[in-house]
Amino acid sequence: MDNHNEAQGLPPGTNEESGASFRSYLIGFGFAIVLTLASFWVSSTNTIYAPGVPILLGVLAIAQMGIHLVFFLHISSAPDQTNNFLALAFGIFITGLIVFGSIIIMADLNHQMMPMDKLMEMQR
């Protein structure tokens, strides 16, 4: 092990020899199963305050994405992962731009559209 890895440590889910091990995949799979079961439980229980359920589901979804990024895609904050992290950030940016831009365009079109009663009067 070189001095750089000793100072930084290895990110979760990586191994010195191969970059990933079967054990790290099993750990990630276990976390993913637990988070999936928790999401199903949250959506079907009455013990949680009803307006808080979507927020809790969002938190569990973000945690699930984090587990997938770390244990399956091996994205970390290690110095040699800069390109992977930048590619991921760019992909998230483009996806957000498309989704939120489409929502803004549809909201503007809905606002500019003629009311239905006036549209029906024009057809007569």
Side-chain angles (χ1 to χ4, degrees), residues 27-83:
I27 292 170
F29 183 68
F31 280 136
I33 292 293
V34 167
L35 288 171
T36 301
L37 292 175
S39 297
F40 279 109
W41 178 78
V42 165
S43 67
S44 65
T45 188
N46 291 328
T47 58
I48 298 174
Y49 183 58
V53 169
I55 295 169
L56 186 55
L57 286 174
V59 168
L60 288 170
I62 292 170
Q64 183 95 293
M65 286 187 286
I67 292 297
H68 286 274
L69 289 173
V70 170
F71 287 98
F72 300 124
L73 297 175
H74 304 290
I75 303 288
S76 68
S77 61
D80 61 340
Q81 293 284 321
T82 304
N83 288 337

Side-chain angles (χ1 to χ4, degrees), residues 1 6-7 11 14 16 20 38 45 63 67 69 75 101 111 117 122:
M1 185 191 274
E6 286 179 11
T14 60
E16 278 184 47
T45 188
I67 292 297
L69 289 173
I75 303 288
H111 178 73
D117 55 346
M122 286 179 58

Side-chain angles (χ1 to χ4, degrees), residues 95-113:
T95 303
L97 190 67
I98 290 170
V99 169
F100 292 117
S102 298
I103 290 172
I104 289 170
I105 289 170
M106 288 187 292
D108 184 58
L109 288 174
N110 186 38
H111 178 73
Q112 299 294 333
M113 196 167 88

Side-chain angles (χ1 to χ4, degrees), residues 6-34:
E6 286 179 11
Q8 295 292 326
L10 291 174
T14 60
N15 191 356
E16 278 184 47
E17 297 86 32
S18 65
S21 69
F22 185 70
R23 183 173 178 259
S24 73
Y25 286 114
L26 282 178
I27 292 170
F29 183 68
F31 280 136
I33 292 293
V34 167

